[in-house]
Amino acid sequence: LWSIARSLAKYGDVFEEVVVHDDMEVHRLKPLKPETMSIVLDEWGRYDSEYPYEQRSQDSGSRVARFRDWQVIHFRLRRERESEYGVNGSILYSIRKVYKQLAMMEDGMVIARLTRAPQRYAYMVDVDGIDPGGPTLEYLQEVKETMKKRRMIDPRTGRMDLEYNPLSMEEDLFIGTRQGSNADVKVLQGASNLSAIKDVEYFQNKIFSGIKVPKAYLGFERDVNAKATLTQQDVQFARSVRRIQVALVEGLRKLFDFVLSVRGYTASEIEYSITLPVTSMVDELRKWQVENTKLKVATTLRKELNVSLHWILRHLLEFTEEDIEEIIATLEDEDS
């Protein structure tokens, strides 16, 4: 179920084939690639009564297999009711472009730190008495090779090798000087603005707003005051997770109804519930706080205004008629 939930959040669609053996029992669920699956609808937008699901080849587009309704469990997250698929309801659907932008910016930031951060040296070499042009460049090249060699990994052998590497961003500079300018070595500082990453943080915040996960959960929240609002963020996150749980329960109910049917039961006549773990104790606690407040109001109405018990149980506490009859009968029973 964890794997199904993860794929559901990523793609918005999960297709699982129900594998049934000769004993008419469900033995496993076989995952089907969402990009190969399609839904077959009639002219009124209803699922095809015979084969509502088709699988097509990604290369040729030709049909590979057809499935009856009971053979496929379709888990999906939908934002638009008219959508046949859950793609647009995927948690990651809205941040695809932002993710690509952030990935490129992070790569650029790493390259900048590797190429612009190191200090470099400018060697002022005395070339007085050497002809300008080619001879000067050759002399500077000899000085450079004598004073500095780069350690390189030979791609053919994979071993460390000392060989010359063409001048790059992190190489030192060799500059020829003439009469009146003494030879010298100067330090060239690396880039000083490498700590400015506000643009990267901006796109990172857009990522977090899209995936609905509080930054404090992943240790990215540096603002101490922001941690005080984590309770509210926790509730919002729990609601996003509950949306995925609702989609899971819908698919599981279809699976369980099929299992009951092949075992000789009428699924519509059997009441059962599917409960998934509580995602947020804060959200659960709020629900019980509301119930506790209702009970206090019910006590006040009963004692001070003498409102009938039946009205309180029905309209305020929202019990069913059967539960109300059972509660009142228990209260009236002297032996209870």
Side-chain angles (χ1 to χ4, degrees):
L1 193 60
W2 182 91
S3 177
I4 294 176
R6 185 175 186 271
S7 298
L8 191 61
K10 284 172 61 179
Y11 305 116
D13 265 303
V14 177
F15 292 88
E16 298 283 337
E17 180 183 356
V18 180
V19 179
V20 179
H21 290 188
D22 293 337
D23 56 1
M24 287 306 293
E25 288 288 343
V26 178
H27 285 257
R28 65 187 180 96
L29 295 179
K30 175 185 174 183
L32 302 171
K33 291 184 178 180
E35 58 268 25
T36 65
M37 296 297 296
S38 61
I39 298 174
V40 182
L41 304 176
D42 61 15
E43 56 183 322
W44 292 283
R46 299 176 301 188
Y47 278 48
D48 185 80
S49 58
E50 196 168 359
Y51 295 102
Y53 299 102
E54 287 184 350
Q55 187 176 31
R56 295 185 174 273
S57 171
Q58 287 184 269
D59 299 328
S60 61
S62 58
R63 187 169 63 195
V64 176
R66 294 196 299 174
F67 300 95
R68 297 187 183 276
D69 183 55
W70 64 266
Q71 289 180 294
V72 173
I73 306 296
H74 183 196
F75 301 89
R76 58 181 169 178
L77 291 172
R78 289 187 295 181
R79 280 197 179 97
E80 299 175 5
R81 291 186 300 167
E82 64 272 13
S83 173
E84 301 169 14
Y85 304 93
V87 177
N88 58 8
S90 164
I91 302 298
L92 305 182
Y93 179 76
S94 60
I95 59 171
R96 294 174 302 161
K97 181 180 178 181
V98 179
Y99 169 75
K100 294 178 182 178
Q101 292 171 328
L102 179 62
M104 289 188 293
M105 295 189 71
E106 289 177 339
D107 291 342
M109 188 169 62
V110 171
I111 293 173
R113 273 149 180 72
L114 293 175
T115 57
R116 300 173 60 186
Q119 290 183 344
R120 292 186 295 168
Y121 296 91
Y123 294 87
M124 317 301 291
V125 182
D126 188 2
V127 293
D128 192 25
I130 302 177
D131 295 334
T136 300
L137 294 176
E138 291 176 3
Y139 178 68
L140 291 175
Q141 189 71 18
E142 291 177 5
V143 173
K144 180 180 177 182
E145 292 180 359
T146 303
M147 296 182 64
K148 192 175 182 73
K149 289 182 179 291
R150 289 290 304 270
R151 288 184 174 87
M152 301 289 295
I153 300 295
D154 191 336
R156 294 169 296 179
T157 62
R159 296 180 179 179
M160 184 73 73
D161 189 15
L162 288 174
E163 66 176 58
Y164 167 72
N165 187 36
L167 187 66
S168 62
M169 292 290 289
E170 62 269 18
E171 280 284 354
D172 295 334
L173 303 178
F174 290 80
I175 304 172
T177 62
R178 294 289 176 180
Q179 186 175 4
S181 238
N182 297 327
D184 193 9
V185 178
K186 296 181 179 180
V187 179
L188 303 179
Q189 296 293 336
S192 59
N193 63 338
L194 296 179
S195 60
I197 58 172
K198 291 291 185 182
D199 50 348
V200 177
E201 291 179 347
Y202 168 76
F203 283 98
Q204 195 178 68
N205 290 333
K206 292 185 71 174
I207 289 285
F208 279 109
S209 66
I211 62 177
K212 306 293 190 300
V213 179
K215 294 175 66 175
Y217 275 19
L218 304 180
F220 283 94
E221 189 59 76
R222 294 178 296 179
D223 187 1
V224 178
N225 295 328
K227 295 184 184 297
T229 63
L230 181 58
T231 300
Q232 184 62 30
Q233 296 178 25
D234 184 72
V235 173
Q236 296 296 332
F237 175 62
R239 291 172 181 172
S240 298
V241 175
R242 191 179 298 117
R243 179 166 162 259
I244 298 178
Q245 289 184 335
V246 169
L248 290 174
V249 168
E250 184 180 350
L252 291 175
R253 185 171 290 279
K254 178 180 178 181
L255 173 64
F256 298 158
D257 285 349
F258 172 73
V259 173
L260 290 170
S261 299
V262 297
R263 292 186 180 183
Y265 299 97
T266 303
S268 59
E269 297 178 356
I270 298 179
E271 293 186 6
Y272 65 91
S273 60
I274 303 172
T275 305
L276 296 179
V278 176
T279 58
S280 169
M281 290 304 298
V282 176
D283 196 26
E284 189 73 6
L285 182 60
R286 283 189 175 187
K287 183 177 72 173
W288 286 108
Q289 286 175 343
V290 172
E291 295 297 327
N292 187 42
T293 303
K294 286 183 178 180
L295 286 174
K296 291 180 180 179
V297 174
T299 304
T300 303
L301 291 176
R302 182 67 176 156
K303 289 183 176 180
E304 298 185 8
L305 300 180
N306 200 25
V307 178
S308 72
L309 180 60
H310 185 279
W311 188 94
I312 292 175
L313 293 175
R314 184 70 184 88
H315 298 282
L316 183 61
L317 302 182
E318 299 177 347
F319 283 99
T320 63
E321 287 294 337
E322 294 155 358
D323 292 336
I324 293 173
E325 291 178 5
E326 183 178 350
I327 291 173
I328 293 178
T330 304
L331 292 175
E332 293 175 350
D333 186 1
E334 295 179 357
D335 297 331
S336 174

